[in-house]
Amino acid sequence: MTGRRFTRLALAASMLAAWSAAGQAQQVRDDEAVARGKAKYEHTCAPCHGRGAGDDGRVMLPGTAALAIKYRGELPPALEDRQGLTADTIRAFVRNGSFSMPPFRPTELTDREIDDIAAYLAVSSSAAAAGSQR
Ligand code: HEC
């Protein structure tokens, strides 16, 4: 092997190592965002948007109920089962509110927390879709 070719190979290997380390670090950050988003969603959104019974065990979920009427079965009523909800879409509803959904100010819910919720909803809805294909 010529020295030059070896240098190129070594360079490629070290780039690969750096790339996969960066990938792992990114994955850890993503997992943390999803975990934070899940906690925030469960506390702030699920009382209205949950899949099952409400806080007190009774089914009183105005968000899920309103979206069931709005989409008439064309889209899943629970946000955790909805695919393709971007952070921008979520932000628009969260900042402005919609009918009986109240708006949230940045002091109540930061932009980063909305991004975290979007990360969680993307993961939960793809898991739900994978489950329904079984
Ligand atoms: C007090 C109850 C309530 C809370 C809390 C609430 N929502 Fe809602 N949300 C609603 C209702 C009701 C609607 C449906 C409004 C309508 O009919 O257009 C809605 C609609 C939405 C929509 C629009 C979906 C669509 O396709 O039209 C999004 C996105 C959304 N909510 C996200 C959130 C997120 C994220 C949170 C938590 C930060 C949250 N909501 C908290 C009641 C709530």
Side-chain angles (χ1 to χ4, degrees), residues 40 44 90-97 102-117:
K40 207 55 181 175
T44 314
I90 294 169
R91 198 180 328 278
F93 280 99
V94 166
R95 289 288 178 238
N96 298 303
F104 293 81
R105 295 183 305 258
T107 45
E108 297 169 308
L109 198 66
T110 65
D111 275 332
R112 199 191 78 166
E113 286 169 333
I114 295 175
D115 290 340
D116 291 345
I117 288 172

Side-chain angles (χ1 to χ4, degrees), residues 2-55:
T2 66
R4 200 160 175 198
R5 197 196 265 166
F6 178 77
T7 312
R8 245 193 257 149
L9 265 178
L11 189 67
S14 69
M15 277 167 66
L16 200 64
W19 176 76
S20 86
Q24 277 164 16
Q26 180 62 43
Q27 184 61 47
V28 169
R29 278 199 298 274
D30 289 352
D31 291 348
E32 285 168 2
V34 168
R36 282 194 308 264
K38 182 177 198 293
K40 207 55 181 175
Y41 181 85
E42 280 169 1
H43 182 259
T44 314
C45 320
C48 292
H49 285 287
R51 286 179 175 129
D55 264 356

Side-chain angles (χ1 to χ4, degrees), residues 62-108:
T64 305
L67 295 178
I69 293 168
K70 183 174 179 183
Y71 293 115
R72 299 175 179 280
E74 282 165 29
L75 291 175
L79 297 182
E80 284 161 296
D81 299 331
R82 269 276 287 282
Q83 293 201 287
L85 267 182
T86 64
D88 284 344
T89 303
I90 294 169
R91 198 180 328 278
F93 280 99
V94 166
R95 289 288 178 238
N96 298 303
S98 174
F99 295 94
S100 57
M101 174 166 159
F104 293 81
R105 295 183 305 258
T107 45
E108 297 169 308

